[in-house]
Amino acid sequence: MEVDVKELFSLKDKVALVTGSTQGIGKAIAYGLGKAGAQVIVSSRKQENVDETVNEFKEEGIAVHGIAANVGKEEDIDKLIKETTSKFNALHIIVNNAAANPEFGPLVRSTTTAFDKIMDVNVKAPLEIVKKAYPYLKHGGGSIINVSSVGGLTPEPQLGVYSVSKAALVSLTKVMAKEMGRDNIRANVICPGLVKTKFSEALWKNKAIASAALQKLPLSKFAEPEEMIGIALFLASDAASYCTGGVYTADGGYTI
């Protein structure tokens, strides 16, 4: 047996789209995929954030292109996929990382407005992105990586609708894997635990919540965004060529 391990994890000549990639987990994953050789498309709602991230990545020697898009809007999804595929005529890797959670509190106090926004961004957008990118993923052999949450496996207190949306994303990933496998498209889902990002700061900056959460963690620490790079790189690369429909926790042992 002769295996080039470096080549196994290389993303040279691959085009990777990462949504919600100007901060937090998405930015870390985009950086990691770029460092592994992929041409990375970074995207988020605000053009200034996209430009800042593009410039930062270019200084690191990463081949990067930026597209501002709100994935909660179908017209923006159209723009995102059309601009990506017209520029590169290829799309091999999609990381659906963009997420929304505009409310924190008991389920009985949730609003239909917040529910619709959460579902549009966390569930509908990944589906629409994959549907529009499907011909390119099918042509080149693709890897879909959906970023869910441990809340999608075990409901999180005060995050009811968000947890429901992330559970739906886990199920959606499995459907993608089952339906698209014969098209040489793999679909897997990452379920991070509590990662120290701006998105989750209401949790890890709250001393009472943070203390209670840490007591449940065998690794006794919250994750940094960069700690999500390894699992994403694995799933994006040929190293995971026989992995599809998988649910991968990166949670410090929280779900044990």
Side-chain angles (χ1 to χ4, degrees):
M1 180 183 295
E2 190 172 321
V3 178
D4 187 333
V5 176
K6 287 185 179 180
E7 189 65 26
L8 201 60
F9 285 90
S10 172
L11 299 182
K12 183 182 178 184
D13 299 325
K14 300 294 186 181
V15 177
L17 168 64
V18 185
T19 65
S21 49
T22 59
Q23 63 180 9
I25 293 173
K27 185 176 181 178
I29 289 175
Y31 177 88
L33 301 186
K35 281 294 186 179
Q39 166 70 60
V40 178
I41 296 90
V42 299
S43 181
S44 67
R45 290 178 301 158
K46 296 181 180 179
Q47 186 67 55
E48 57 267 33
N49 293 342
V50 171
D51 293 341
E52 182 180 342
T53 301
V54 166
N55 291 333
E56 183 180 333
F57 280 16
K58 283 181 176 178
E59 289 178 0
E60 293 280 345
I62 294 172
V64 60
H65 179 70
I67 305 172
N70 179 352
V71 297
K73 298 179 179 179
E74 190 167 357
E75 60 269 27
D76 278 23
I77 293 176
D78 282 334
K79 181 185 77 169
L80 183 60
I81 300 303
K82 285 179 180 178
E83 187 172 331
T84 297
T85 54
S86 63
K87 183 173 179 63
F88 300 103
N89 197 34
L91 184 52
H92 306 96
I93 301 159
I94 294 176
V95 181
N96 285 307
N97 170 74
N101 184 44
E103 65 180 15
F104 182 79
L107 194 64
V108 293
R109 296 182 188 170
S110 62
T111 65
T112 54
T113 300
F115 181 93
D116 288 344
K117 181 176 181 178
I118 291 169
M119 292 299 172
D120 282 349
V121 175
N122 297 3
V123 184
K124 183 179 177 181
L127 173 59
E128 292 303 313
I129 287 169
V130 168
K131 283 165 59 179
K132 295 178 191 304
Y134 172 73
Y136 292 89
L137 294 170
K138 181 179 180 181
H139 177 72
S143 174
I144 301 163
I145 303 168
N146 293 324
V147 181
S148 180
S149 165
V150 291
L153 305 176
T154 303
E156 293 294 309
Q158 310 297 308
L159 294 170
V161 178
Y162 177 79
S163 295
V164 169
S165 74
K166 290 302 188 177
L169 186 57
V170 170
S171 183
L172 177 62
T173 305
K174 293 180 179 181
V175 174
M176 289 177 175
K178 183 161 283 192
E179 290 194 2
M180 300 179 188
R182 286 179 174 79
D183 294 321
N184 196 27
I185 298 171
R186 297 180 293 107
N188 294 283
V189 61
I190 302 172
C191 294
L194 188 50
V195 183
K196 294 177 72 174
T197 66
K198 184 177 180 180
F199 185 82
S200 65
E201 65 182 359
L203 299 176
W204 57 268
K205 282 190 173 181
N206 182 305
K207 291 184 179 180
I209 294 175
S211 178
L214 283 170
Q215 289 179 19
K216 298 180 181 179
L217 291 175
L219 292 186
S220 301
K221 70 184 185 76
F222 299 137
E224 298 294 335
E226 293 76 17
E227 292 181 278
M228 300 299 115
I229 293 175
I231 185 66
L233 175 57
F234 166 69
L235 293 173
S237 72
D238 288 343
S241 60
Y242 201 60
C243 298
T244 195
V247 181
Y248 297 85
T249 56
D251 64 355
Y254 178 79
T255 51
I256 294 174

